[in-house]
């Protein structure tokens, strides 16, 4: 099993920045991809950014140029650097990991990001 714990959320004014962290622990072998999702009130959970291990990164159109996903393999930690935040970015942000060629998918508990106008 893989355990994911997010941190770094909070309240920030529009235009500000936050960096989210996702610490992975447990059986962390053969992880194929890690990503960040978010869910705003009344909306479906959506992909924000994903990194394919050993491959590319992809971003939702709404965050391109503002958010950066990165991974520190030595620390088993995934990051999401969020700049130029907008009120529309307000959501619960979830860390995700796919293991064993996507046969297993894990989710963190989520961290709240609130952006005030």
């Amino acid at each position: 099993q893989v355990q994911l714990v997010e941190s770094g959320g909070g309240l920030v004014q529009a235009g500000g920045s936050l960096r989210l962290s996702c610490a992975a622990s447990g059986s962390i072998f053969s992880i194929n991809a890690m990503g960040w999702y978010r869910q705003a009130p009344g909306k479906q959970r959506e992909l924000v950014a994903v990194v394919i291990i050993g491959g590319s990164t992809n971003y939702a159109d709404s965050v391109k140029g503002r958010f950066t996903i990165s991974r520190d393999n030595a620390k088993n930690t995934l990051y999401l650097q969020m700049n130029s935040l907008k009120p529309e970015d307000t959501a619960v942000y979830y860390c995700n990991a796919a293991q064993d060629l996507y046969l297993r998918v894990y989710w963190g508990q989520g961290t709240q990001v609130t952006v005030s106008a």
Side-chain angles (χ1 to χ4, degrees):
Q1 299 290 322
V2 173
Q3 298 178 59
L4 305 172
V5 179
E6 302 99 332
S7 61
L11 175 64
V12 65
Q13 292 182 324
S17 298
L18 286 172
R19 189 178 76 160
L20 305 183
S21 299
C22 173
S25 62
S27 300
I28 57 175
F29 311 103
S30 300
I31 291 178
N32 306 121
M34 296 189 72
W36 290 96
Y37 290 70
R38 67 186 182 187
Q39 187 166 21
K43 297 184 179 180
Q44 292 183 306
R45 188 172 299 184
E46 65 175 351
L47 175 68
V48 176
V50 61
V51 55
I52 308 300
I53 307 306
S56 63
T57 57
N58 291 285
Y59 297 89
D61 289 341
S62 59
V63 307
K64 287 181 179 178
R66 300 188 297 119
F67 291 10
T68 303
I69 189 171
S70 62
R71 183 168 178 262
D72 188 331
N73 291 333
K75 296 182 178 180
N76 297 317
T77 302
L78 183 74
Y79 301 97
L80 184 68
Q81 179 66 47
M82 305 186 294
N83 298 325
S84 302
L85 283 162
K86 304 175 180 179
E88 305 92 89
D89 296 318
T90 295
V92 177
Y93 284 71
Y94 297 91
C95 181
N96 165 273
Q99 188 181 55
D100 295 332
L101 301 178
Y102 299 90
L103 290 177
R104 294 176 174 84
V105 178
Y106 303 93
W107 294 93
Q109 294 296 309
T111 184
Q112 177 71 49
V113 172
T114 303
V115 184
S116 61

